[in-house]
Amino acid sequence: MLRNFNYCFISVISLVNNLKQKKLIFLIVIGLLFFCPCSNAVPQTSNIESLKSFATAASSDSIKSRLYLSVAKEFRFSSLDSVVHYGNIAIDYAMDADNTNMIIESLLELAYINISIGNREKSMQLYTKAKQLCIDNDNQYLLAKIHLDLERYYSTISDYASSINSLDTALDIINSNNYSYLKPMVYNSYCNLYLLIQDFTIAKYYANMAISYSKQDTNQTNYIGNILLIGKVFFRNNEIDSSLYYYNRALTLAKNINSKTLKQKAYRKISDYYIEKAEYELSNLYIDSSIIYCNELALTNELASLITFKAHIFSLKGDYRKTLKHNLQALDLRENIGHKTQFALHC
């Protein structure tokens, strides 16, 4: 359930009117583009099968390990059981090749996923093993990434002091080794952490730091993601008209680089804005745009979340038949994933 915010309305009448004039056209476009949920596995399956074929034909165990780890990561948003399966295969090949870096990277992926399925004790065991390998082999880069991941681990158990300590340690390693390209990741994590504890002033500071360090990256993905992040900070702080500015800016930039992933996220965030404005039809349209890209990208978990969100919108409109229909559709998707997921809405 979305939070009910108390805020002062800033006039957006001209913007809303303009959108309403285009609503009919938008509905037609959505109708033409919308894919049924069962189509979402096609592009992902093709990519996975290609990776597995390359892995089978690979000439060395190290290459096989790298490719099977890529297969594992492809399953992150559709089947966590498959992530574990192929992550273990990646470790086996890395051990056969005596490739310590690949062993560490595979351990990190398995630790990350075990957090998602609630196996926190197993996750910490894997992180501890990976950390020791980094120390034994003086791999400062992967050690920094472990501490970045540990922030997520501690956040899931609301141990925010340990989360901050993990990020501080990661930043010390990054500064000592001049891994400046990792700084946006650290500042992004700081921002999300302070959002959790609702210190919006510090969250804004770190969001701006993340934007500043990622702005010059050749790959604009992190920069656009950080634009969305600062929009999220404004939204959580009840400054929702400011959030729309950043969400629209991120959407424009995402279109410029034709990033389906970022367009999906931007449409999702803009939908949040319109539901807070009680513009339920517009919110629904943006959710549908986000769903299109979820289907194309095979983001099954996110797709289930978006369909649940549509159910929430229909409940606000008093259409309980469609509310039930969409909730059942989301439930079916989650059952097909084959692992437990949270039914909470993404915020």
Side-chain angles (χ1 to χ4, degrees):
M1 183 69 68
L2 292 176
R3 299 174 185 171
N4 291 319
F5 293 106
N6 294 318
Y7 53 82
C8 295
F9 283 88
I10 300 174
S11 177
V12 290
I13 293 174
S14 61
L15 172 63
V16 173
N17 285 342
N18 185 47
L19 285 166
K20 284 181 176 177
Q21 291 169 5
K22 297 178 182 178
K23 190 180 298 182
L24 181 58
I25 296 174
F26 205 148
L27 279 167
I28 294 170
V29 172
I30 291 298
L32 291 171
L33 293 177
F34 193 80
F35 292 87
C36 65
C38 62
S39 70
N40 67 343
V42 175
Q44 186 198 37
T45 300
S46 177
N47 194 30
I48 288 171
E49 291 307 314
S50 295
L51 287 168
K52 287 164 68 175
S53 295
F54 286 131
T56 301
S59 58
S60 74
D61 287 338
S62 287
I63 296 174
K64 287 178 185 289
S65 177
R66 172 65 65 188
L67 289 168
Y68 278 117
L69 183 58
S70 296
V71 171
K73 290 181 177 181
E74 283 289 316
F75 278 112
R76 268 192 180 188
F77 302 102
S78 58
S79 173
L80 299 189
D81 291 339
S82 295
V83 177
V84 174
H85 174 70
Y86 287 104
N88 280 316
I89 292 176
I91 286 180
D92 289 341
Y93 278 112
M95 293 180 71
D96 289 343
D98 197 25
N99 188 329
T100 305
N101 285 357
M102 279 308 306
I103 294 172
I104 294 169
E105 289 187 46
S106 299
L107 286 170
L108 284 180
E109 182 64 19
L110 289 176
Y112 180 93
I113 290 305
N114 271 279
I115 295 174
S116 299
I117 59 180
N119 295 338
R120 295 192 183 95
E121 184 176 347
K122 178 65 174 178
S123 178
M124 180 52 76
Q125 291 173 359
L126 293 166
Y127 278 130
T128 301
K129 186 174 181 179
K131 188 193 295 185
Q132 191 58 54
L133 283 171
C134 284
I135 294 170
D136 292 344
N137 292 273
D138 194 28
N139 191 325
Q140 296 296 300
Y141 173 76
L142 287 177
L143 186 59
K145 293 193 71 175
I146 289 172
H147 284 289
L148 271 169
D149 275 11
L150 281 171
E151 182 277 323
R152 176 175 176 260
Y153 170 88
Y154 287 118
S155 290
T156 63
I157 58 175
S158 301
D159 185 352
Y160 301 128
S162 294
S163 291
I164 291 172
N165 183 62
S166 294
L167 290 177
D168 289 345
T169 302
L171 191 58
D172 285 342
I173 295 170
I174 289 166
N175 287 331
S176 297
N177 293 274
N178 198 28
Y179 298 146
S180 56
Y181 49 88
L182 290 179
K183 284 186 177 181
M185 295 173 61
V186 179
Y187 292 132
N188 182 292
S189 294
Y190 272 123
C191 176
N192 279 303
L193 178 57
Y194 280 100
L195 269 178
L196 280 176
I197 59 181
Q198 298 186 41
D199 190 329
F200 301 113
T201 300
I202 296 180
K204 282 180 186 177
Y205 169 78
Y206 282 118
N208 280 312
M209 290 289 285
I211 289 170
S212 176
Y213 275 93
S214 60
K215 190 173 185 178
Q216 303 305 319
D217 288 353
T218 303
N219 184 342
Q220 289 287 285
T221 300
N222 288 335
Y223 174 64
I224 299 169
N226 289 323
I227 296 293
L228 283 171
L229 179 61
I230 198 167
K232 180 180 175 181
V233 175
F234 278 106
F235 187 88
R236 292 281 186 86
N237 197 35
N238 301 342
E239 302 173 77
I240 69 167
D241 292 298
S242 294
S243 74
L244 181 64
Y245 165 79
Y246 288 104
Y247 292 160
N248 279 327
R249 182 180 174 195
L251 179 59
T252 298
L253 293 171
K255 288 178 178 178
N256 288 343
I257 65 170
N258 195 27
S259 170
K260 294 180 180 179
T261 300
L262 289 168
K263 283 189 281 188
Q264 181 268 317
K265 291 179 179 179
Y267 283 126
R268 172 67 178 87
K269 292 299 183 185
I270 294 171
S271 177
D272 284 343
Y273 171 85
Y274 283 110
I275 200 169
E276 287 302 315
K277 289 289 191 180
E279 291 279 348
Y280 301 132
E281 290 185 34
L282 284 172
S283 180
N284 223 349
L285 289 173
Y286 281 104
I287 280 292
D288 285 344
S289 294
S290 188
I291 284 175
I292 288 170
Y293 289 109
C294 274
N295 277 300
E296 290 190 19
L297 296 164
L299 304 178
T300 311
N301 281 340
E302 179 67 9
L303 178 62
S305 175
L306 292 176
I307 293 173
T308 302
F309 190 76
K310 279 179 69 69
H312 174 66
I313 293 172
F314 283 119
S315 72
L316 292 173
K317 294 172 66 176
D319 190 336
Y320 300 114
R321 183 183 63 82
K322 288 185 178 178
T323 298
L324 178 60
K325 174 187 172 183
H326 284 84
N327 273 325
L328 290 174
Q329 187 180 1
L331 177 62
D332 184 58
L333 278 171
R334 288 186 170 98
E335 288 177 343
N336 289 335
I337 292 169
H339 63 83
K340 295 179 181 179
T341 58
Q342 292 183 349
F343 280 68
L345 296 174
H346 288 271
C347 299

